[in-house]
Amino acid sequence: MKIRMNDIQLRYLSIAEARRQGGLRLVLGAYAVPGPWREACKAIFHVKGVPYQPVVTADEGCSDADFGMNGSASELLAWTGQESAPVAVWNDERPCSGWVEQLHLAERIAPSPPLIPADVEERVLMFGMAHELCGRGGLGWCKRLGMIHANLTTLAPEHPARPYWNHMARKYGYIPAEAEAAPARMAAIVRTLGRHLERQYQAGRTYFIGASLSALDLYWATFLGILKPLDETLCPMATPIRAVYADLHPQVAQALEPLHLQHRDFIYREHLELPVRF
């Protein structure tokens, strides 16, 4: 597969170029792969109105086997101390590779509009639910475990994609039993957060927390892309990834309600960029 640049392609810096620059740089990984942590990181800084330089860790051409996630792992390790994207780097400060520290960085750089509630109970609620989407064992983590499990249980040992999935299994601590339990966990997360969202709408509020946008709305919108991707015209992602994201276990598919996707679409329409830029 050859991923082509298009008229909504971001201008990426290499890691070497990015290290020589100041301001905000976001290491986003590969072209045309809307990983949920990557898109959430972009969304937060977009809402804040903070300009950034996107940084790529892979060449433009990539194979179906690696989905564009090969590339400059050693350079990224040397710069950020780890090998995963996204990473937010502000001037000469320590790189932020976790979703919580990226959110706090955005709040510090641009306090308005606030994406973390000032009220402590609302803040606890927001971070608790956000962890169920973004954290270890959350929706995104479970989806990734499922992708690893599906490939390791179906690909022949000599398949060219096998080394990539072996690498992913080692990197994320793949355990078959946990992967087999992942669909039920994902369905429970979607249902639980969905019930909270339904109560908000019934009370006349169109956001997850209180009456205004919070980071949780952005996490919900971007992480639902791994269950039901936006239309191709709105999110022209790499074709193999679309098929993988759209492949849902029946338990997860049954947990998704129209309101869940309606809220995703509302957040993209009112607060984020469409079409999604890669």
Side-chain angles (χ1 to χ4, degrees):
M1 177 188 69
K2 178 74 169 178
I3 297 176
R4 298 173 180 240
M5 299 290 195
N6 55 47
D7 58 358
I8 58 169
Q9 174 70 54
L10 297 169
R11 182 192 173 276
Y12 286 84
L13 301 178
S14 67
I15 290 176
E17 291 172 325
R19 296 190 71 169
R20 294 193 293 268
Q21 304 223 4
L24 180 64
R25 289 137 295 162
L26 299 184
V27 183
L28 298 176
Y31 301 125
V33 179
W37 289 275
R38 160 200 164 112
E39 294 305 311
C41 184
K42 286 169 52 187
I44 287 165
F45 288 103
H46 173 76
V47 167
K48 293 285 191 179
V50 180
Y52 63 86
Q53 291 279 4
V55 183
V56 73
T57 59
D59 296 330
E60 180 191 348
C62 64
S63 70
D64 289 355
D66 60 33
F67 298 129
M69 300 170 76
N70 60 343
S72 310
S74 59
E75 288 184 279
L76 183 61
L77 178 63
W79 188 23
T80 69
Q82 53 85 63
E83 297 179 340
S84 296
V87 185
V89 186
W90 175 244
N91 292 325
D92 295 326
E93 294 183 8
R94 180 180 61 83
C96 297
S97 58
W99 62 273
V100 174
E101 58 181 346
Q102 289 163 7
L103 175 57
H104 280 292
L105 174 64
E107 291 283 278
R108 176 162 57 87
I109 295 172
S112 182
L115 293 177
I116 298 177
D119 179 81
V120 65
E121 291 186 358
E122 290 186 343
R123 191 163 63 248
V124 169
L125 182 62
M126 190 205 80
F127 274 110
M129 288 194 287
H131 185 274
E132 293 301 311
L133 296 175
C134 313
R136 188 182 184 97
L139 187 74
W141 188 275
C142 288
K143 177 72 173 186
R144 183 164 53 198
L145 281 183
M147 292 163 60
I148 294 169
H149 185 67
N151 281 278
L152 291 186
T153 55
T154 58
L155 295 179
E158 64 275 11
H159 193 283
R162 187 81 189 198
Y164 170 76
W165 291 108
N166 286 337
H167 165 73
M168 292 289 283
R170 291 190 298 270
K171 184 174 182 178
Y172 294 107
Y174 163 70
I175 298 173
E178 289 185 359
E180 290 167 0
R185 189 178 181 94
M186 293 170 68
I189 291 169
V190 170
R191 287 196 181 97
T192 301
L193 270 65
R195 283 195 296 268
H196 176 81
L197 182 63
E198 289 162 12
R199 290 192 293 269
Q200 285 287 95
Y201 271 73
Q202 288 166 4
R205 295 185 287 266
T206 54
Y207 294 101
F208 259 101
I209 305 294
S212 61
L213 181 75
S214 75
L216 182 59
D217 296 292
L218 303 180
Y219 295 136
W220 178 264
T222 50
F223 274 72
L224 247 60
I226 61 175
L227 304 184
K228 190 170 180 61
L230 290 165
D231 184 82
E232 175 70 22
T233 60
L234 300 178
C235 187
M237 69 177 74
T239 303
I241 291 293
R242 178 171 291 277
V244 170
Y245 281 180
D247 183 18
L248 285 190
H249 189 280
Q251 286 179 282
V252 182
Q254 290 170 7
L256 273 175
E257 300 286 347
L259 178 62
H260 303 165
L261 299 172
Q262 175 187 323
H263 189 67
R264 186 269 310 268
D265 295 345
F266 165 72
I267 295 301
Y268 265 101
R269 185 174 64 251
E270 296 297 322
H271 298 285
L272 301 177
E273 289 185 294
L274 287 175
V276 175
R277 301 180 71 205
F278 293 106

